[in-house]
Amino acid sequence: MAVFNIDGAAELYHNGVKKLETTAAGILVTGAGDDNNVIIEVTDNGADDAPDLLLRRLSASPADGDLLSTIDFSGNQSNGGENTYGRIVAIAEDVTAGTEDGSLAFYTGTNGGATEKMRLNQDTQLLIGTFAADGGSMGVRVDGGNGNIFLSNTQTGSWANLKFHNPNGVVGAINTSGSGTSYVTSSDY
C-alpha cells in the first residue's frame, strides 16, 4: 500500500507495516530483525564495479576541510536513548580544481560520544591515535609514501614505544626518553 499526503510524507507499506517514508530531512527506511534491511542489487555478467553507492555533497562554496559525508553506526544505550558507537567521515582536505585531496576519518564510541581514532589521509599516511602539528602526538603514523613508521608519544620520561610479545608475555621493547633510545630484551644478547 502507498500513502501520499498533500504537502507531506509519501509512505510505502508492506503487509500493513510502514517500510519507507519521506520526511523533511530525507528518507526513512524501516526494517526488523537481522535480515538484510536494505539491498542494492545489480544483475550484470560484466566486470563493471556496480552496484555503486554514491554519497554526494554539492556546495556552491566548497572549502578546504568540508565534511562531505558521514556514515553513523548507532544504537540504544542502557536508558533507552540513542548513542553513536562508530562513524566514518569523508573530508575534503583541498578543493582546489585539479589538486583535490580527501581523507577518511574513523571514529569509535568513547564515554558516550564518538571520537576520531584513525585517519587515512591524502599523503598516503595512516594515522592511528591523536596527532597535532605542535608535536603533541600520541599514536602511530604509517607513511606509505616512503615506507616509514613513526611512533609518537607526549611523554618525555622513559617510555616503551614498541613492545614485542609472544605467548610468554613481553620479551623485548624499544624505549625512548627525552634524549635517547634503549633496547630492552629478555634474551642473552
Side-chain angles (χ1 to χ4, degrees), residues 46-142:
D48 293 336
D49 62 352
D52 300 325
L53 176 63
L54 174 62
L55 305 176
R56 177 182 290 149
R57 178 176 184 215
L58 301 176
S59 173
S61 57
D64 293 355
D66 278 353
L67 304 181
L68 299 177
S69 298
T70 300
I71 300 173
D72 279 339
F73 303 89
S74 69
N76 290 76
Q77 33 98 323
S78 62
N79 73 3
E82 188 174 350
N83 186 63
T84 299
Y85 292 94
R87 174 178 289 154
I88 302 171
V89 178
I91 304 151
E93 299 290 354
D94 180 359
V95 298
T96 305
T99 63
E100 301 91 337
D101 293 319
S103 63
L104 284 176
F106 297 84
Y107 293 67
T108 60
T110 306
N111 296 322
T115 57
E116 184 178 336
K117 302 294 191 317
M118 183 171 71
R119 183 179 290 218
L120 181 60
N121 72 16
Q122 71 276 10
D123 297 322
T124 66
Q125 295 175 341
L126 175 63
L127 309 168
I128 303 170
T130 306
F131 287 86
D134 65 0
S137 302
M138 190 72 163
V140 177
R141 183 178 89 206
V142 179

Side-chain angles (χ1 to χ4, degrees), residues 39-43 51:
I39 299 173
I40 301 172
E41 184 174 307
V42 172
T43 55

Side-chain angles (χ1 to χ4, degrees), residues 115-179:
T115 57
E116 184 178 336
K117 302 294 191 317
M118 183 171 71
R119 183 179 290 218
L120 181 60
N121 72 16
Q122 71 276 10
D123 297 322
T124 66
Q125 295 175 341
L126 175 63
L127 309 168
I128 303 170
T130 306
F131 287 86
D134 65 0
S137 302
M138 190 72 163
V140 177
R141 183 178 89 206
V142 179
D143 192 333
N146 60 28
N148 290 329
I149 298 174
F150 298 87
L151 305 172
S152 302
N153 70 66
T154 57
Q155 307 295 321
T156 56
S158 181
W159 185 263
N161 278 313
L162 187 58
K163 294 181 182 180
F164 301 93
H165 291 257
N166 71 19
N168 297 321
V170 177
V171 295
I174 299 175
N175 296 343
T176 60
S177 66
S179 61

